[in-house]
């Protein structure tokens, strides 16, 4: 069955520390992978996407993610977290010709001053 | 470039009333999606349209829910009659084609008393 797992419901890091949010997927076809961020009271905003090519993808706000096919993972990283990054992050998977995305359950990030 | 526009942003109504949520997708986007987000169930796809035609409504929870897309720039999601368990945030998203990411509106926060 197709699925996306975000193992960490909550993550707490100190401001300035590095961040890694985990995303694992189970998908029969070659996946398209996405990370979205959701600020309170707002919709989901695309951080970055992977369709093909370079497995290290750069996104907005200093985020990056790496597609590792052997591990079925697409983890989101940021070298130095800012207090404004505290919000919820969603991983999603789709594929060419598939119109549905499967979303993970989200990881809520807390940033300590 | 205007994003996906949803209205109203907030809706509070009594059980049994009809509720209509509205969405204007991004111009030129051929796909439109309705999602529901709750704490318990996360982000659920309710229905999606391609070129104004409903393609998959398997996520619509009950016959009380219906969605229409009379033209390329407007869609509605209707709940009649509404029940307290329908309380959630409802998102609309649009996409240009299958090889592009989805863009989300800011959602409608629905409370059924």
């Amino acid at each position: 069955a197709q699925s996306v797992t975000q193992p960490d419901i909550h993550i707490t890091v100190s401001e300035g520390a590095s961040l890694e949010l985990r995303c694992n997927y189970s998908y029969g076809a070659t996946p398209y992978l996405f990370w979205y961020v959701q600020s309170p009271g707002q919709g989901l905003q695309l951080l970055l996407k992977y369709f093909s090519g370079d497995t290290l993808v750069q996104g907005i706000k200093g985020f990056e993610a790496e597609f590792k096919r052997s591990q079925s993972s697409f983890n989101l990283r940021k070298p130095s977290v800012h207090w404004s990054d505290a919000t919820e992050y969603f991983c999603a998977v789709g594929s060419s010709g598939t119109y549905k995305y499967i979303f993970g359950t989200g990881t809520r990030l807390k940033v300590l001053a | 470039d205007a994003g996906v526009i949803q209205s109203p942003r907030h809706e509070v109504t009594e059980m049994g009333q009809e509720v209509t949520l509205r969405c204007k997708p991004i111009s030129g986007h051929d796909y439109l999606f309705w999602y529901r987000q709750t704490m318990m169930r996360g982000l659920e796809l309710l229905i999606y349209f391609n070129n104004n035609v409903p393609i998959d409504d398997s996520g619509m929870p009950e016959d009380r829910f219906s969605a229409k897309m009379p033209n390329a720039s407007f869609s509605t999601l209707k709940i009649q009659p509404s029940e307290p368990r329908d309380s959630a945030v409802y998102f609309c998203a649009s996409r240009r084609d299958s090889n592009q990411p989805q863009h989300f509106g800011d959602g409608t926060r629905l409370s059924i008393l």
Side-chain angles (χ1 to χ4, degrees):
Chain A
Q2 300 168 350
S3 66
V4 175
T5 301
Q6 293 181 246
D8 305 305
I9 299 174
H10 298 278
I11 289 276
T12 300
V13 300
S14 297
E15 190 169 20
S18 63
L19 171 70
E20 183 169 35
L21 302 183
R22 295 184 291 165
C23 174
N24 296 99
Y25 66 89
S26 173
Y27 207 77
T30 300
Y32 293 164
L33 295 156
F34 309 89
W35 274 99
Y36 284 85
V37 59
Q38 184 178 23
S39 298
Q42 296 187 6
L44 280 71
Q45 179 187 15
L46 181 69
L47 277 179
L48 47 78
K49 60 184 184 291
Y50 171 80
F51 287 133
S52 65
D54 193 348
T55 56
L56 184 62
V57 179
Q58 302 297 320
I60 62 172
K61 305 184 181 185
F63 286 93
E64 67 177 26
E66 186 171 11
F67 171 51
K68 293 186 177 180
R69 185 186 299 275
S70 62
Q71 298 178 20
S72 297
S73 70
F74 189 58
N75 294 347
L76 182 70
R77 301 194 295 246
K78 188 169 184 178
S80 178
V81 170
H82 189 262
W83 64 266
S84 61
D85 295 324
T87 190
E88 192 157 21
Y89 295 81
F90 292 88
C91 180
V93 64
S95 72
S96 174
T98 298
Y99 308 108
K100 294 183 181 182
Y101 286 179
I102 300 172
F103 282 86
T105 51
T107 296
R108 184 167 294 279
L109 173 65
K110 182 177 180 180
V111 179
L112 302 177
Chain B
D1 182 21
V4 177
I5 299 172
Q6 292 187 244
S7 64
R9 289 298 312 277
H10 303 275
E11 175 88 14
V12 181
T13 192
E14 292 186 346
M15 182 175 67
Q17 297 298 307
E18 177 180 291
V19 173
T20 299
L21 312 181
R22 297 173 177 80
C23 175
K24 176 179 170 56
I26 294 173
S27 177
H29 283 197
D30 294 335
Y31 294 90
L32 184 139
F33 305 80
W34 281 101
Y35 290 87
R36 178 172 68 176
Q37 185 179 41
T38 61
M39 289 292 293
M40 291 298 295
R41 301 170 72 92
L43 197 62
E44 304 173 274
L45 176 65
L46 300 178
I47 185 172
Y48 77 90
F49 295 81
N50 177 217
N51 291 325
N52 314 337
V53 176
I55 302 301
D56 185 348
D57 65 355
S58 60
M60 296 284 263
E62 300 173 35
D63 291 344
R64 299 184 295 106
F65 286 70
S66 62
K68 295 182 179 180
M69 192 166 186
N71 57 63
S73 60
F74 184 66
S75 176
T76 60
L77 177 68
K78 187 173 294 187
I79 308 173
Q80 166 65 20
S82 58
E83 297 183 3
R85 59 196 169 113
D86 302 330
S87 298
V89 181
Y90 290 80
F91 288 103
C92 178
S94 70
R95 192 160 107 205
R96 186 175 298 279
D97 57 43
S98 64
N99 296 335
Q100 295 294 322
Q102 291 180 11
H103 297 263
F104 284 78
D106 286 337
T108 295
R109 183 172 295 277
L110 177 64
S111 296
I112 308 297
L113 306 177

